[in-house]
Amino acid sequence: MEVERITTVIRLRQQGEAIDLGFRLVREYALRFYLIWFVIFLPIPLLVYGISHLFFPSWDWVGVLVVWWLKPLYDPLILYFFSRALFGEFPSLRQTLREIWSVLKPSLLVKLLFFYRFSLFRAVQLPVWQLEGLKGKAARQRLSLLKERLTSVNAARLLLVCLHFEWILYFAPFFLIKIFFPNVMDMNTVLYFYDGNIHYVPSWLSFLEIFSYLLAISIVEPLYVVAGFSLYLNRRTQLEGWDIELAFHRIVNRLGRVLSVVLWVLVFSGCVMLYSIYPTVVLADTVESIDKVRAKQEIERVLAAEEFQTETTVFGWRSLNASEDSDKNESQAFKYEEQKDGFFSRALQFFLWILLGIGLAIIVYGVWRWMREQSFLAHSQRNRRALGLQRLAQTPTDLSGLPDNIALSAWACWQAGEQQLAISLLYRGTLKQLSQQYQFKVRESATEQECLQIVRHYAVVELVDYFAQVCRTWQCIAYAHQLPSSSQVQQLCHEWQRLFVMKKASASADTVVISD
């Protein structure tokens, strides 16, 4: 599963929050879904109601029962749409009709309509059968791993709540008509209508019964299936750490962008260096040998032009060694031109090396600054303190090295500006006192929720409430980075003194009295 393509925020949620996420998905994609839903859903219930009305005209409840029994038939189609919508893919009506036989497999329909028709966990089991495609022993092992206690309990609650709301929506139109038009319909007529004790059934009452139940199924059934799918995703996030995997993907993407910029700069610098050291191509090295006779004829033709027929007489003194002087002047001029070209090439090369050095310095500074922002460098005292607090936040169950007076030490840390350390002292001190008082052990890898469950199993209500309040405060400051107020922390310190220090003192005093 390509987790990075999921359109929702993947994180570990509470069970109720996961169910609410499923409801939110249905509301978000309701328009696209219901255009497909009514085309696929309505034909079979209308056919069932027609056959029921034809063969059992006095017992219309038979049609309701058959439609209710066939409800799981549509659950794989609902899951097919929303499992792809979660990844940004929205199947069209044509695509859904084309894939309908691959989705509604006979083995899956047998499980849904017969073996697991009355299962309380069907919404959580369906993704394992349909999306993972597991069968037999592998499916049972997978389900036993996914059906953790809280997930199973909330899946059963979800089924019961959806069942009640479905029947409430089913009977709501009858009660509305009774409220607004009391003389039109008697509720006893409706009850007799389902018992089959009346011979004449108004046609509008039959249509109202069909419309209300189909509308109730259309509203509640997608909510039930998608909420169960959300519980399944939340459990897999807990087991497989999808939120951590996504965080690593984001880090890799950011590093990839930085490395791509560095790579392009190095490629550009390499091209510049190659260009600077590549020898200059001389035209004389590339010109092919030319026929001397033809060249001579071409020169004579050019010199015969009118532009070269002008003659000028010049009077002056000429040295006897004129040929030697001219050769010497030409050689000096050539050396001067060569020196001038070498100077400009060296200046250009020096300038390019300077640009390359500046570019590398900018890249190194950018990488260093990014690493400092990401807390990769921890050489300063402030960073070491932050790193220590971060380690403290990651191991809140380390109960060693605690001060004697937890409340006073926590309040002193709070006033000194070390808020996270103060709440950590209260959390660890409370856990240590409770573990010593009730003789239970806490694993270092235990989470806050697991510690709270252990305390609820052993301690009295007053201590459980206090520890739950400390847990919430610790989670807010350690994970959500939300600081509590000073009055709230002061109240927690006072409560700690009252619950552990004063009670211990009073208990020791009572012991002395008894010993006397």
Side-chain angles (χ1 to χ4, degrees), residues 268-291:
F268 176 75
S269 304
C271 294
V272 171
M273 292 175 62
L274 288 175
Y275 179 77
S276 62
I277 64 176
Y278 193 77
T280 306
V281 179
V282 181
L283 184 61
D285 297 336
T286 60
V287 176
E288 298 179 356
S289 60
I290 303 176
D291 188 8

PDB file of all heavy atoms in Angstrom, residues 268-291:
ATOM      1  N   PHE A 268      27.105  22.044 -13.139  1.00  0.00           N
ATOM      2  CA  PHE A 268      27.421  23.314 -13.803  1.00  0.00           C
ATOM      3  C   PHE A 268      28.885  23.691 -13.593  1.00  0.00           C
ATOM      4  O   PHE A 268      29.581  24.138 -14.527  1.00  0.00           O
ATOM      5  CB  PHE A 268      26.500  24.411 -13.258  1.00  0.00           C
ATOM      6  CG  PHE A 268      26.796  25.780 -13.809  1.00  0.00           C
ATOM      7  CD1 PHE A 268      26.438  26.129 -15.094  1.00  0.00           C
ATOM      8  CD2 PHE A 268      27.457  26.720 -13.018  1.00  0.00           C
ATOM      9  CE1 PHE A 268      26.724  27.380 -15.598  1.00  0.00           C
ATOM     10  CE2 PHE A 268      27.747  27.981 -13.512  1.00  0.00           C
ATOM     11  CZ  PHE A 268      27.368  28.316 -14.815  1.00  0.00           C
ATOM     12  N   SER A 269      29.361  23.494 -12.344  1.00  0.00           N
ATOM     13  CA  SER A 269      30.763  23.825 -12.067  1.00  0.00           C
ATOM     14  C   SER A 269      31.699  22.933 -12.868  1.00  0.00           C
ATOM     15  O   SER A 269      32.728  23.391 -13.390  1.00  0.00           O
ATOM     16  CB  SER A 269      31.042  23.664 -10.571  1.00  0.00           C
ATOM     17  OG  SER A 269      30.155  24.458  -9.814  1.00  0.00           O
ATOM     18  N   GLY A 270      31.372  21.641 -12.999  1.00  0.00           N
ATOM     19  CA  GLY A 270      32.209  20.759 -13.793  1.00  0.00           C
ATOM     20  C   GLY A 270      32.246  21.151 -15.266  1.00  0.00           C
ATOM     21  O   GLY A 270      33.306  21.109 -15.905  1.00  0.00           O
ATOM     22  N   CYS A 271      31.093  21.584 -15.795  1.00  0.00           N
ATOM     23  CA  CYS A 271      31.072  22.030 -17.191  1.00  0.00           C
ATOM     24  C   CYS A 271      31.946  23.267 -17.392  1.00  0.00           C
ATOM     25  O   CYS A 271      32.675  23.390 -18.385  1.00  0.00           O
ATOM     26  CB  CYS A 271      29.634  22.299 -17.623  1.00  0.00           C
ATOM     27  SG  CYS A 271      28.595  20.818 -17.681  1.00  0.00           S
ATOM     28  N   VAL A 272      31.862  24.192 -16.420  1.00  0.00           N
ATOM     29  CA  VAL A 272      32.684  25.408 -16.525  1.00  0.00           C
ATOM     30  C   VAL A 272      34.160  25.065 -16.466  1.00  0.00           C
ATOM     31  O   VAL A 272      34.988  25.605 -17.229  1.00  0.00           O
ATOM     32  CB  VAL A 272      32.285  26.397 -15.406  1.00  0.00           C
ATOM     33  CG1 VAL A 272      33.258  27.570 -15.360  1.00  0.00           C
ATOM     34  CG2 VAL A 272      30.871  26.902 -15.632  1.00  0.00           C
ATOM     35  N   MET A 273      34.541  24.153 -15.571  1.00  0.00           N
ATOM     36  CA  MET A 273      35.953  23.771 -15.468  1.00  0.00           C
ATOM     37  C   MET A 273      36.438  23.081 -16.736  1.00  0.00           C
ATOM     38  O   MET A 273      37.538  23.334 -17.221  1.00  0.00           O
ATOM     39  CB  MET A 273      36.138  22.856 -14.261  1.00  0.00           C
ATOM     40  CG  MET A 273      35.936  23.529 -12.917  1.00  0.00           C
ATOM     41  SD  MET A 273      36.019  22.371 -11.544  1.00  0.00           S
ATOM     42  CE  MET A 273      37.704  21.792 -11.748  1.00  0.00           C
ATOM     43  N   LEU A 274      35.619  22.195 -17.289  1.00  0.00           N
ATOM     44  CA  LEU A 274      36.011  21.530 -18.525  1.00  0.00           C
ATOM     45  C   LEU A 274      36.185  22.519 -19.665  1.00  0.00           C
ATOM     46  O   LEU A 274      37.100  22.411 -20.479  1.00  0.00           O
ATOM     47  CB  LEU A 274      34.968  20.473 -18.898  1.00  0.00           C
ATOM     48  CG  LEU A 274      34.939  19.207 -18.022  1.00  0.00           C
ATOM     49  CD1 LEU A 274      33.782  18.307 -18.444  1.00  0.00           C
ATOM     50  CD2 LEU A 274      36.256  18.459 -18.118  1.00  0.00           C
ATOM     51  N   TYR A 275      35.287  23.508 -19.701  1.00  0.00           N
ATOM     52  CA  TYR A 275      35.395  24.514 -20.767  1.00  0.00           C
ATOM     53  C   TYR A 275      36.655  25.359 -20.611  1.00  0.00           C
ATOM     54  O   TYR A 275      37.289  25.752 -21.585  1.00  0.00           O
ATOM     55  CB  TYR A 275      34.158  25.402 -20.751  1.00  0.00           C
ATOM     56  CG  TYR A 275      34.189  26.495 -21.809  1.00  0.00           C
ATOM     57  CD1 TYR A 275      33.926  26.210 -23.143  1.00  0.00           C
ATOM     58  CD2 TYR A 275      34.504  27.808 -21.446  1.00  0.00           C
ATOM     59  CE1 TYR A 275      33.965  27.205 -24.098  1.00  0.00           C
ATOM     60  CE2 TYR A 275      34.550  28.808 -22.393  1.00  0.00           C
ATOM     61  CZ  TYR A 275      34.275  28.505 -23.720  1.00  0.00           C
ATOM     62  OH  TYR A 275      34.315  29.496 -24.664  1.00  0.00           O
ATOM     63  N   SER A 276      37.029  25.639 -19.328  1.00  0.00           N
ATOM     64  CA  SER A 276      38.185  26.497 -19.101  1.00  0.00           C
ATOM     65  C   SER A 276      39.499  25.796 -19.425  1.00  0.00           C
ATOM     66  O   SER A 276      40.472  26.427 -19.829  1.00  0.00           O
ATOM     67  CB  SER A 276      38.199  26.983 -17.648  1.00  0.00           C
ATOM     68  OG  SER A 276      38.315  25.871 -16.773  1.00  0.00           O
ATOM     69  N   ILE A 277      39.567  24.457 -19.237  1.00  0.00           N
ATOM     70  CA  ILE A 277      40.825  23.751 -19.488  1.00  0.00           C
ATOM     71  C   ILE A 277      40.883  23.155 -20.890  1.00  0.00           C
ATOM     72  O   ILE A 277      41.913  22.602 -21.288  1.00  0.00           O
ATOM     73  CB  ILE A 277      41.034  22.622 -18.446  1.00  0.00           C
ATOM     74  CG1 ILE A 277      39.948  21.556 -18.595  1.00  0.00           C
ATOM     75  CG2 ILE A 277      41.080  23.179 -17.043  1.00  0.00           C
ATOM     76  CD1 ILE A 277      40.135  20.361 -17.677  1.00  0.00           C
ATOM     77  N   TYR A 278      39.791  23.220 -21.644  1.00  0.00           N
ATOM     78  CA  TYR A 278      39.808  22.645 -22.990  1.00  0.00           C
ATOM     79  C   TYR A 278      40.638  23.527 -23.912  1.00  0.00           C
ATOM     80  O   TYR A 278      40.491  24.744 -23.908  1.00  0.00           O
ATOM     81  CB  TYR A 278      38.378  22.523 -23.516  1.00  0.00           C
ATOM     82  CG  TYR A 278      38.264  21.669 -24.760  1.00  0.00           C
ATOM     83  CD1 TYR A 278      38.305  20.282 -24.666  1.00  0.00           C
ATOM     84  CD2 TYR A 278      38.129  22.262 -26.007  1.00  0.00           C
ATOM     85  CE1 TYR A 278      38.200  19.484 -25.785  1.00  0.00           C
ATOM     86  CE2 TYR A 278      38.035  21.471 -27.137  1.00  0.00           C
ATOM     87  CZ  TYR A 278      38.062  20.082 -27.033  1.00  0.00           C
ATOM     88  OH  TYR A 278      37.964  19.313 -28.140  1.00  0.00           O
ATOM     89  N   PRO A 279      41.564  22.976 -24.738  1.00  0.00           N
ATOM     90  CA  PRO A 279      42.431  23.806 -25.592  1.00  0.00           C
ATOM     91  C   PRO A 279      41.636  24.523 -26.678  1.00  0.00           C
ATOM     92  O   PRO A 279      40.641  24.004 -27.196  1.00  0.00           O
ATOM     93  CB  PRO A 279      43.398  22.785 -26.199  1.00  0.00           C
ATOM     94  CG  PRO A 279      42.675  21.474 -26.121  1.00  0.00           C
ATOM     95  CD  PRO A 279      41.837  21.540 -24.884  1.00  0.00           C
ATOM     96  N   THR A 280      42.110  25.749 -26.964  1.00  0.00           N
ATOM     97  CA  THR A 280      41.443  26.549 -27.981  1.00  0.00           C
ATOM     98  C   THR A 280      41.722  25.968 -29.362  1.00  0.00           C
ATOM     99  O   THR A 280      42.851  25.622 -29.702  1.00  0.00           O
ATOM    100  CB  THR A 280      41.956  27.998 -27.928  1.00  0.00           C
ATOM    101  OG1 THR A 280      41.781  28.461 -26.596  1.00  0.00           O
ATOM    102  CG2 THR A 280      41.212  28.880 -28.908  1.00  0.00           C
ATOM    103  N   VAL A 281      40.684  25.873 -30.141  1.00  0.00           N
ATOM    104  CA  VAL A 281      40.812  25.317 -31.476  1.00  0.00           C
ATOM    105  C   VAL A 281      41.338  26.396 -32.420  1.00  0.00           C
ATOM    106  O   VAL A 281      40.762  27.484 -32.520  1.00  0.00           O
ATOM    107  CB  VAL A 281      39.449  24.787 -31.970  1.00  0.00           C
ATOM    108  CG1 VAL A 281      39.591  24.234 -33.385  1.00  0.00           C
ATOM    109  CG2 VAL A 281      38.950  23.703 -31.028  1.00  0.00           C
ATOM    110  N   VAL A 282      42.457  26.117 -33.063  1.00  0.00           N
ATOM    111  CA  VAL A 282      43.059  27.054 -34.018  1.00  0.00           C
ATOM    112  C   VAL A 282      42.543  26.721 -35.402  1.00  0.00           C
ATOM    113  O   VAL A 282      42.430  25.546 -35.782  1.00  0.00           O
ATOM    114  CB  VAL A 282      44.597  26.963 -33.980  1.00  0.00           C
ATOM    115  CG1 VAL A 282      45.231  27.955 -34.944  1.00  0.00           C
ATOM    116  CG2 VAL A 282      45.082  27.190 -32.558  1.00  0.00           C
ATOM    117  N   LEU A 283      42.231  27.765 -36.138  1.00  0.00           N
ATOM    118  CA  LEU A 283      41.673  27.555 -37.467  1.00  0.00           C
ATOM    119  C   LEU A 283      42.656  26.824 -38.374  1.00  0.00           C
ATOM    120  O   LEU A 283      42.274  26.012 -39.212  1.00  0.00           O
ATOM    121  CB  LEU A 283      41.295  28.911 -38.091  1.00  0.00           C
ATOM    122  CG  LEU A 283      40.600  28.854 -39.457  1.00  0.00           C
ATOM    123  CD1 LEU A 283      39.288  28.088 -39.354  1.00  0.00           C
ATOM    124  CD2 LEU A 283      40.362  30.263 -39.989  1.00  0.00           C
ATOM    125  N   ALA A 284      43.936  27.067 -38.164  1.00  0.00           N
ATOM    126  CA  ALA A 284      44.957  26.429 -39.011  1.00  0.00           C
ATOM    127  C   ALA A 284      45.001  24.929 -38.801  1.00  0.00           C
ATOM    128  O   ALA A 284      45.441  24.185 -39.659  1.00  0.00           O
ATOM    129  CB  ALA A 284      46.332  27.040 -38.736  1.00  0.00           C
ATOM    130  N   ASP A 285      44.554  24.462 -37.596  1.00  0.00           N
ATOM    131  CA  ASP A 285      44.569  23.031 -37.329  1.00  0.00           C
ATOM    132  C   ASP A 285      43.436  22.289 -38.012  1.00  0.00           C
ATOM    133  O   ASP A 285      43.465  21.062 -38.140  1.00  0.00           O
ATOM    134  CB  ASP A 285      44.491  22.777 -35.817  1.00  0.00           C
ATOM    135  CG  ASP A 285      45.706  23.351 -35.114  1.00  0.00           C
ATOM    136  OD1 ASP A 285      46.751  23.504 -35.780  1.00  0.00           O
ATOM    137  OD2 ASP A 285      45.594  23.632 -33.902  1.00  0.00           O
ATOM    138  N   THR A 286      42.423  23.030 -38.431  1.00  0.00           N
ATOM    139  CA  THR A 286      41.242  22.383 -38.987  1.00  0.00           C
ATOM    140  C   THR A 286      41.110  22.549 -40.490  1.00  0.00           C
ATOM    141  O   THR A 286      40.321  21.865 -41.117  1.00  0.00           O
ATOM    142  CB  THR A 286      39.989  22.958 -38.317  1.00  0.00           C
ATOM    143  OG1 THR A 286      39.923  24.344 -38.567  1.00  0.00           O
ATOM    144  CG2 THR A 286      40.034  22.735 -36.821  1.00  0.00           C
ATOM    145  N   VAL A 287      41.871  23.490 -41.056  1.00  0.00           N
ATOM    146  CA  VAL A 287      41.732  23.744 -42.481  1.00  0.00           C
ATOM    147  C   VAL A 287      42.467  22.664 -43.264  1.00  0.00           C
ATOM    148  O   VAL A 287      43.606  22.314 -42.963  1.00  0.00           O
ATOM    149  CB  VAL A 287      42.289  25.138 -42.827  1.00  0.00           C
ATOM    150  CG1 VAL A 287      42.220  25.366 -44.338  1.00  0.00           C
ATOM    151  CG2 VAL A 287      41.506  26.195 -42.097  1.00  0.00           C
ATOM    152  N   GLU A 288      41.797  22.133 -44.238  1.00  0.00           N
ATOM    153  CA  GLU A 288      42.409  21.103 -45.055  1.00  0.00           C
ATOM    154  C   GLU A 288      43.424  21.728 -46.035  1.00  0.00           C
ATOM    155  O   GLU A 288      43.462  22.930 -46.253  1.00  0.00           O
ATOM    156  CB  GLU A 288      41.314  20.356 -45.813  1.00  0.00           C
ATOM    157  CG  GLU A 288      40.323  19.651 -44.882  1.00  0.00           C
ATOM    158  CD  GLU A 288      39.247  18.956 -45.688  1.00  0.00           C
ATOM    159  OE1 GLU A 288      39.266  19.119 -46.934  1.00  0.00           O
ATOM    160  OE2 GLU A 288      38.407  18.276 -45.067  1.00  0.00           O
ATOM    161  N   SER A 289      44.250  20.873 -46.595  1.00  0.00           N
ATOM    162  CA  SER A 289      45.245  21.358 -47.571  1.00  0.00           C
ATOM    163  C   SER A 289      44.539  21.874 -48.836  1.00  0.00           C
ATOM    164  O   SER A 289      43.564  21.272 -49.295  1.00  0.00           O
ATOM    165  CB  SER A 289      46.193  20.210 -47.931  1.00  0.00           C
ATOM    166  OG  SER A 289      45.471  19.129 -48.504  1.00  0.00           O
ATOM    167  N   ILE A 290      45.034  23.021 -49.328  1.00  0.00           N
ATOM    168  CA  ILE A 290      44.417  23.683 -50.484  1.00  0.00           C
ATOM    169  C   ILE A 290      45.369  23.568 -51.681  1.00  0.00           C
ATOM    170  O   ILE A 290      46.603  23.661 -51.539  1.00  0.00           O
ATOM    171  CB  ILE A 290      44.124  25.157 -50.154  1.00  0.00           C
ATOM    172  CG1 ILE A 290      43.214  25.231 -48.896  1.00  0.00           C
ATOM    173  CG2 ILE A 290      43.489  25.866 -51.325  1.00  0.00           C
ATOM    174  CD1 ILE A 290      42.956  26.629 -48.427  1.00  0.00           C
ATOM    175  N   ASP A 291      44.802  23.416 -52.834  1.00  0.00           N
ATOM    176  CA  ASP A 291      45.601  23.342 -54.063  1.00  0.00           C
ATOM    177  C   ASP A 291      46.347  24.658 -54.272  1.00  0.00           C
ATOM    178  O   ASP A 291      45.737  25.732 -54.274  1.00  0.00           O
ATOM    179  CB  ASP A 291      44.683  23.036 -55.244  1.00  0.00           C
ATOM    180  CG  ASP A 291      45.490  22.754 -56.504  1.00  0.00           C
ATOM    181  OD1 ASP A 291      46.723  22.660 -56.394  1.00  0.00           O
ATOM    182  OD2 ASP A 291      44.867  22.647 -57.577  1.00  0.00           O
TER     183      ASP A 291
END
